[in-house]
């Protein structure tokens, strides 16, 4: 049991997963024939002539994305209708037969580079237009298109696949060859992270409402992410249960009570994908969600050990709607207000051994290096290069008499945990002797961990 815990603690991200995690917050762009038909899923029979973004300006997209503090863009190069936003050699159902025959993938990739953000794409395996769909020849067709995107548009940070698998034009379903798609991406863009329900690099969080789990582990059973490399031996209870039922929508996937039954663990962090509006594509009657809604999503995704892929759909002219542009700016301003100015502080780890030399759960004190101020957020980061270990923690304020006042109780930390203190607690710097403050320092108590804890950073914001 102890050995398995030690193994679980050693499960580590790859370099491309670390880079993806650092990107944190990036934009999904859903754009295509659906933008013009007011639908979410096209059936592949839409005439190319309807796609006519006469004012297309990808620099406008990038400026709005950057104003929200996002660091990348993921464009739907092809959605389920099979229409390609680039002039693919392998189909006529693309921008090349449109009234405005522009290579939108190229324009978007170039705008991202000009603006200094990363570029990636979504490529739907489900294709309701392609006559090969549902036959082995479709996997060749799909790989040809994937190769075009991987080789002709510069560096790609992310390739996004979903598992939607309906019928194609011949009424057949397709067996997707994900191992082949993955190896193609590794060949041409080895640094690109790959999103898919089942990994390998990033997995779906299980909902489109913008919320991570109560405990969003990046270390999960290989039964859930079958394309991610298994990094441990079987758990001590493997064989006594069967985790093959597991799906991304399950509430409990990375907890100890589950992983003990696993045949081996993988590192596969969660992405939260959600839209600024109710739909993924632009619809004339829809409006962007409120700033409060989006701020909450940010805290419960980036702030809960996940990445946030926030969709903003361009309109029929090829521009982001002014209402969305305004909301993105508000979101960026909110982020700057909340997290732009750190309260200087210093952290000290109290001994994590008891007097007989046995390991204890670690306790840290965090002292403010400024006079009395109110702390509204405590942001914790584990050094995930060494693995994800914290299972649970508590934060207290400790007053001059040593009494601890509970402020926050949390589960896992991982890449980043943003603890929002609901009653902003006045913390008094002991040096100023200011008795107005209720506490003199913060105490972070790790109450459960899988082996030795490596905290990378603790930051406070007022
Ligand atoms: C899903 C698709 O079916 C939706 O249309 C959308 O693209 C979403 C991000 O992924 O699987």
């Amino acid at each position: 049991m102890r050995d398995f815990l030690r193994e679980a603690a050693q499960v580590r991200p790859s370099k491309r997963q670390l880079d993806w995690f650092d990107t944190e917050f990036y934009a999904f762009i859903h754009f295509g024939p659906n933008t013009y038909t007011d639908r979410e899923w096209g059936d592949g029979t839409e005439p190319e002539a309807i796609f006519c973004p006469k004012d297309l300006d990808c620099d406008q997209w990038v400026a709005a994305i950057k104003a929200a503090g996002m660091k990348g863009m993921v464009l739907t190069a092809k959605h389920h209708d099979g229409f390609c936003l680039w002039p693919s050699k392998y189909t006529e159902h693309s921008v090349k037969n449109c009234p405005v025959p522009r290579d939108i993938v190229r324009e978007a990739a170039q705008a991202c580079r000009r603006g200094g953000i990363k570029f990636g794409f979504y490529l739907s395996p489900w294709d309701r237009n392609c006559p090969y769909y549902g036959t082995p020849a479709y996997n060749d067709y799909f790989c040809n298109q994937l190769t075009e995107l991987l080789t002709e548009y510069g560096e790609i940070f992310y390739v996004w696949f979903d598992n939607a698998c309906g019928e194609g034009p011949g009424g057949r379903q397709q067996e997707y060859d994900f191992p082949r798609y993955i190896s193609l991406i590794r060949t041409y863009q080895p640094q690109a992270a790959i999103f898919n329900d089942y990994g390998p690099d990033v997995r779906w969080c299980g909902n489109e409402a913008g919320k991570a789990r109560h405990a969003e582990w990046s270390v999960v059973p290989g039964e859930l992410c079958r394309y991610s490399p298994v990094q441990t031996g079987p758990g001590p209870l493997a064989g006594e249960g069967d985790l093959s039922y597991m799906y991304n929508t399950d509430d409990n996937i990375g907890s100890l009570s589950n992983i003990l039954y696993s045949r081996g663990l993988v590192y596969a962090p969660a992405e939260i994908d959600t839209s600024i509006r109710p739909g993924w594509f632009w619809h004339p009657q829809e409006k962007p969600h409120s700033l409060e809604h989006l701020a909450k999503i940010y805290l419960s995704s980036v702030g809960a050990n996940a990445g946030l892929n926030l969709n903003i759909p361009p309109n029929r002219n090829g521009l982001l709607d002014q209402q969305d542009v305004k909301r993105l700016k508000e979101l960026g301003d909110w982020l700057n207000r909340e997290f732009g100015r750190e309260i200087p502080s210093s952290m000290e780890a109290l001994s994590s051994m008891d007097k007989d030399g046995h390991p204890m759960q670690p306790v840290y004190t965090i002292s403010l290096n400024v006079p009395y101020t109110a702390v509204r957020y405590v942001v914790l980061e584990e050094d995930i290069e060494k693995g994800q270990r914290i299972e649970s923690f508590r934060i207290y304020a400790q007053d001059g008499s040593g009494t601890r006042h509970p402020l926050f109780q949390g589960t896992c930390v991982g890449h980043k945990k943003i603890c929002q203190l609901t009653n902003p607690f006045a913390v008094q710097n002991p040096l100023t002797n200011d008795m107005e403050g209720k506490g003199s320092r913060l105490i972070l108590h790790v109450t459960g961990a899988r082996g030795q804890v490596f905290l990378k950073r603790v930051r406070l914001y007022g």
Side-chain angles (χ1 to χ4, degrees):
M1 169 77 168
R2 275 225 62 87
D3 279 345
F4 183 66
L5 270 191
R6 194 162 297 136
E7 279 187 62
Q10 300 287 341
V11 175
R12 288 159 199 224
S14 63
K15 168 81 172 66
R16 66 174 82 85
Q17 288 173 315
L18 288 169
D19 290 346
W20 167 83
F21 241 145
D22 283 342
T23 312
E24 280 194 347
F25 182 27
Y26 42 90
F28 227 168
I29 299 280
H30 274 67
F31 191 35
N34 296 336
T35 311
Y36 298 83
T37 56
D38 205 9
R39 296 177 74 179
E40 279 290 309
W41 283 2
D43 62 14
T45 60
E46 298 77 15
E48 291 83 33
I50 61 168
F51 186 80
C52 188
K54 57 179 177 29
D55 300 324
L56 179 78
D57 180 359
C58 298
D59 290 312
Q60 187 247 9
W61 305 358
V62 170
I65 288 169
K66 286 173 69 175
M70 293 189 260
K71 294 189 254 166
M73 176 202 292
V74 185
L75 174 66
T76 53
K78 174 178 92 166
H79 202 254
H80 308 328
D81 52 35
F83 178 84
C84 298
L85 291 188
W86 81 104
S88 171
K89 281 203 288 289
Y90 303 97
T91 180
E92 290 304 302
H93 197 44
S94 84
V95 283
K96 72 184 168 204
N97 290 316
C98 291
V100 188
R102 288 162 73 167
D103 183 343
I104 295 176
V105 175
R106 185 165 317 281
E107 293 196 28
Q110 287 174 345
C112 285
R113 279 184 239 301
R114 272 194 297 277
I117 63 169
K118 300 179 185 181
F119 178 73
F121 60 84
Y122 166 116
L123 188 67
S124 169
W126 185 21
D127 187 322
R128 304 177 83 183
N129 175 270
C130 178
Y132 309 124
Y133 188 86
T135 73
Y138 177 74
N139 280 322
D140 296 336
Y141 173 83
F142 189 78
C143 284
N144 284 335
Q145 293 198 324
L146 188 54
T147 304
E148 288 181 319
L149 292 170
L150 293 170
T151 56
E152 292 173 26
Y153 296 93
E155 186 167 324
I156 301 297
F157 91 101
Y158 202 30
V159 179
W160 209 103
F161 294 132
D162 66 51
N163 280 280
C165 183
E167 290 182 354
R172 294 175 302 264
Q173 270 187 307
Q174 179 71 33
E175 214 173 293
Y176 301 142
D177 191 352
F178 278 116
R180 183 172 164 202
Y181 312 160
I182 291 167
S183 88
L184 205 61
I185 298 165
R186 297 295 192 234
T187 303
Y188 291 119
Q189 298 274 350
Q191 75 299 326
I194 304 173
F195 173 98
N196 181 257
D197 275 18
Y198 305 109
D201 301 319
V202 182
R203 66 181 164 80
W204 185 43
C205 64
N207 69 77
E208 292 179 348
K211 200 174 176 328
R213 288 175 175 73
H214 176 61
E216 192 64 85
W217 283 93
S218 302
V219 178
V220 296
E223 286 87 340
L224 179 71
C225 289
R226 56 175 177 265
Y227 301 121
S228 312
V230 171
Q231 298 189 39
T232 70
L237 301 177
E240 293 189 24
D242 176 15
L243 297 188
S244 59
Y245 65 84
M246 266 202 163
Y247 188 56
N248 282 307
T249 49
D250 292 350
D251 262 349
N252 186 6
I253 56 175
S255 70
L256 204 51
S257 58
N258 259 339
I259 65 170
L260 293 178
Y261 292 88
S262 171
R263 294 183 190 280
L265 305 179
V266 302
Y267 191 91
E271 179 198 90
I272 311 296
D273 61 324
T274 191
S275 185
I276 194 167
R277 291 162 168 243
W280 291 104
F281 286 88
W282 185 85
H283 302 285
Q285 72 284 7
E286 289 186 354
K287 298 211 173 314
H289 295 303
S290 67
L291 174 63
E292 291 68 32
H293 180 90
L294 298 176
K296 214 162 145 194
I297 287 175
Y298 182 89
L299 296 175
S300 58
S301 56
V302 175
N305 192 37
L308 175 55
N309 191 359
L310 178 67
N311 180 66
I312 316 117
N315 63 19
R316 291 175 183 164
N317 294 331
L319 295 168
L320 296 187
D321 192 296
Q322 277 312 316
Q323 301 174 80
D324 298 2
V325 171
K326 178 168 171 277
R327 191 67 85 245
L328 291 174
K329 170 82 170 66
E330 288 168 2
L331 183 59
D333 290 347
W334 175 80
L335 280 169
N336 280 335
R337 254 193 333 271
E338 302 302 282
F339 302 107
R341 247 179 320 113
E342 188 185 338
I343 301 171
S345 66
S346 47
M347 181 177 71
E348 196 190 336
L350 300 181
S351 166
S352 55
M353 298 288 176
D354 69 12
K355 58 182 179 2
D356 301 319
H358 298 127
M360 284 186 358
Q361 295 148 326
V363 177
Y364 304 85
T365 59
I366 304 152
S367 307
L368 277 73
N369 299 336
V370 287
Y372 163 84
T373 186
V375 177
R376 295 171 58 235
Y377 298 98
V378 180
V379 180
L380 309 176
E381 289 173 57
E382 271 183 87
D383 185 355
I384 53 170
E385 276 191 66
K386 297 195 170 75
Q388 186 184 347
R389 293 160 181 226
I390 296 175
E391 291 247 1
S392 57
F393 68 90
R394 285 164 189 256
I395 299 173
Y396 304 90
Q398 183 168 284
D399 66 23
S401 72
T403 307
R404 289 180 179 185
H405 306 269
L407 294 184
F408 194 91
Q409 191 176 343
T411 58
C412 52
V413 173
H415 174 258
K416 187 179 277 185
K417 174 69 198 176
I418 302 179
C419 310
Q420 187 179 24
L421 308 183
T422 37
N423 295 318
F425 201 83
V427 179
Q428 177 206 338
N429 184 324
L431 298 176
T432 64
N433 209 19
D434 177 353
M435 294 314 289
E436 268 178 60
K438 291 191 207 148
S440 56
R441 54 171 56 118
L442 295 175
I443 305 288
L444 167 64
H445 187 174
V446 175
T447 48
R450 301 176 182 176
Q452 193 183 349
V453 169
F454 295 98
L455 265 189
K456 183 171 170 187
R457 237 187 328 243
V458 174
R459 284 177 288 181
L460 310 180
Y461 297 92

